[in-house]
Structure formats: C-alpha cells, structure tokens
C-alpha cells in the first residue's frame, strides 16, 4: 500500500512538472532591447533582434572611438 502511494505521488509530481514546463515553453516572449537602443520591428525573431542590437552597439563603439577626446597634460 505504501508503495502504491509512492508511485501515485511520483506520477502526480511528474504531471505537475510537465504542465509547468509546457506553459513555460509556450510563453516565450520577445526580447526587449536595452535602454537607448531602437526597438526591432514588430514580429522580428530573437535572432533578428540580437543582430540589430549588435549592429547598434558596434556603431556606438565606432562613433565613440572616432570622437576626439582632450588629452590630460603630462606632469
């Protein structure tokens, strides 16, 4: 009898975990870009959003490298 309750409890736990995992897998949301970056067009895949963010970061780094910065005086 004790073994039967153990198996039923195990199956019940497995069923609950399965339902929660299915809900988690179907509720995938789109990734929002960091603040200061343009958002991807509606319906864009995660890969497209990632590529857009990578391009924007690259442009930002290139722009900051091209800006002239004042050099401190050597003492």
């Amino acid at each position: 009898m004790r073994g039967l309750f153990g198996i039923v409890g195990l199956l019940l736990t497995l069923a609950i975990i399965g339902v929660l995992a299915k809900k988690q897998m179907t509720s995938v949301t789109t990734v929002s870009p960091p603040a200061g970056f343009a958002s991807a067009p509606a319906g864009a895949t995660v890969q497209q959003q990632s590529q857009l963010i990578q391009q924007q970061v690259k442009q930002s780094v290139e722009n900051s490298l091209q800006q002239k910065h004042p050099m401190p005086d050597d003492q």
Side-chain angles (χ1 to χ4, degrees):
M1 192 69 170
R2 181 189 264 177
L4 181 64
F5 285 130
I7 292 174
V8 170
L10 183 62
L11 291 176
L12 183 61
T13 303
L14 199 58
I16 292 171
I17 291 173
V19 169
L20 292 175
K22 184 177 179 181
K23 283 185 179 182
Q24 183 70 26
M25 295 300 285
T26 58
S27 68
V28 174
T29 59
T30 58
V31 177
S32 60
F37 290 99
S39 61
T45 64
V46 174
Q47 182 180 8
Q48 292 169 338
Q49 291 176 359
S50 173
Q51 289 173 346
L52 178 64
I53 292 171
Q54 288 175 7
Q55 289 171 357
Q56 291 173 343
V57 168
K58 182 179 176 183
Q59 289 173 352
S60 176
V61 168
E62 288 174 353
N63 289 340
S64 65
L65 289 175
Q66 291 176 356
Q67 292 177 355
K68 295 184 178 181
H69 299 284
M71 296 298 291
D73 293 332
D74 291 335
Q75 293 184 13

